[in-house]
Amino acid sequence: MPKHQTTAAQAARQDVKTGAKYTTALRTRRAAAPARTAVVRFLAQESGHLYELIGGIAAAWADTGLRVLLLEETDSGWRWTLPSGRRRQPVTRTEPEPVTVVLWEQLAGPGTLVHHTCVWDVWGPGDRGMPVHDRTALRTAVAAAREAYDIVVLLPDGSWSYPERELATASIAAVDLNDFPHTDCRVAVPGTYEHRGAPLSPEQCAAVLRERHLSFLYGFGLAALPIEPDGLIWQLHGKAPVDDDYLQRVDRDMARVGLRTLGWATTEPLPLRPRRGLPTPEQLASPDFVGPHREIAARLRQVPGVLPL
């Protein structure tokens, strides 16, 4: 939530000074305030294996009666043409049409999960023949979605590591871990496929996780602004090699530096899963698929800015 913004609770406290009852004033202020759609931004350095996690969380939200939109960016359609001879050939652009697909909806309730793909950037001619672009198209798409949905999830086509600071009401970092760093200085055991190394303490493990997998949050160079995520989700491939007490100590060390862990998700080991693509409508409708994501989805509901106000 933006700072220095008057909320219903703050306004109700002001009403109390005039003699009104706080609970009555708060109820009145909330009823008069317009509904605010949440725009959630998942940040990731490598996003190829995170579509199943995001789809499962979105399906769990929709199953509770929320209207959820997955807004995905498509290729801008610009095609560069190399010059032939002395004649300079212009740059061509083929803009794909927007596509809307209903992935899942409740039979007796408002809950729905919709996937919409469209071009986020509007390109135009610029200096010296180089195209320039602005993100007016994305802002227009989000503004239209605010009228029909409770939550909008942004899924960029390229890098997930840059934030939509002006649009997102909450930024959640999602990290895919193919190898959990619970040991260091590992060597291969002769005659086997195993590796052995010196065990790391949970605090050392947390430091390694921040160094190897969260450095993208802090940008490159002095001009880059750091990203402060509102929550953190880890995804493991297969069962964790440590117990729950170890993971809880990792979470406490993350909280010590201001990183709130929302959960540890588990998926199939590599390379048994495809790298990219949202789950199929059949998967999203299956309780067996959605069930493991319910706990993390419920914790996300406690994060300010994730759910509509």
Side-chain angles (χ1 to χ4, degrees), residues 44-121:
Q45 189 172 19
E46 295 291 339
S47 60
H49 296 292
L50 293 171
Y51 284 86
E52 182 177 296
L53 173 65
I54 305 305
I57 293 175
W61 282 337
D63 192 46
T64 61
L66 294 172
R67 300 166 299 172
V68 185
L69 174 66
L70 299 174
L71 181 57
E72 187 170 10
E73 178 186 17
T74 60
D75 186 9
S76 62
W78 278 100
R79 297 295 180 266
W80 296 89
T81 305
L82 296 177
S84 176
R86 296 183 178 179
R87 298 186 59 183
R88 300 180 63 87
Q89 300 181 8
V91 178
T92 60
R93 180 173 184 261
T94 56
E95 181 176 334
E97 293 292 333
V99 178
T100 303
V101 178
V102 178
L103 299 178
W104 183 87
E105 58 184 348
Q106 286 182 329
L107 297 178
T112 182
L113 179 60
V114 179
H115 181 216
H116 180 73
T117 60
C118 64
V119 175
W120 287 9
D121 286 335

Side-chain angles (χ1 to χ4, degrees), residues 113-177:
L113 179 60
V114 179
H115 181 216
H116 180 73
T117 60
C118 64
V119 175
W120 287 9
D121 286 335
V122 176
W123 293 72
D127 297 335
R128 299 180 181 180
M130 298 293 291
V132 296
H133 68 93
D134 61 59
R135 305 188 75 80
T136 304
L138 173 60
R139 292 191 290 269
T140 302
V142 172
R146 289 181 185 274
E147 300 179 0
Y149 298 95
D150 300 315
I151 302 179
V152 178
V153 178
L154 301 179
L155 298 177
D157 177 63
S159 172
W160 283 24
S161 60
Y162 66 88
E164 295 294 340
R165 298 180 185 274
E166 297 181 356
L167 294 179
T169 59
S171 297
I172 307 299
V175 181
D176 183 75
L177 294 176

Side-chain angles (χ1 to χ4, degrees), residues 152-277:
V152 178
V153 178
L154 301 179
L155 298 177
D157 177 63
S159 172
W160 283 24
S161 60
Y162 66 88
E164 295 294 340
R165 298 180 185 274
E166 297 181 356
L167 294 179
T169 59
S171 297
I172 307 299
V175 181
D176 183 75
L177 294 176
N178 185 29
D179 187 14
F180 186 83
H182 65 295
T183 58
D184 200 5
C185 301
R186 295 186 300 174
V187 296
V189 179
T192 67
Y193 294 101
E194 298 181 1
H195 290 75
R196 293 180 182 175
L200 297 178
S201 68
E203 293 72 23
Q204 291 174 325
C205 175
V208 173
L209 288 172
R210 291 191 293 268
E211 177 68 23
R212 294 181 183 177
H213 300 282
L214 298 179
S215 59
F216 74 94
L217 295 174
Y218 307 104
F220 301 92
L222 297 178
L225 296 176
I227 306 170
E228 297 181 1
D230 300 288
L232 181 62
I233 300 174
W234 303 96
Q235 177 172 265
L236 299 172
H237 293 265
K239 185 179 179 181
V242 295
D243 56 18
D244 292 339
D245 181 67
Y246 189 101
L247 295 179
Q248 291 176 4
R249 291 179 60 183
V250 172
D251 294 344
R252 286 196 294 268
D253 194 78
M254 290 292 178
R256 178 182 60 84
V257 296
L259 295 172
R260 177 186 178 185
T261 301
L262 298 174
W264 295 81
T266 303
T267 186
E268 296 179 3
L270 293 175
L272 300 179
R273 305 174 58 251
R275 268 196 67 83
R276 179 186 172 90

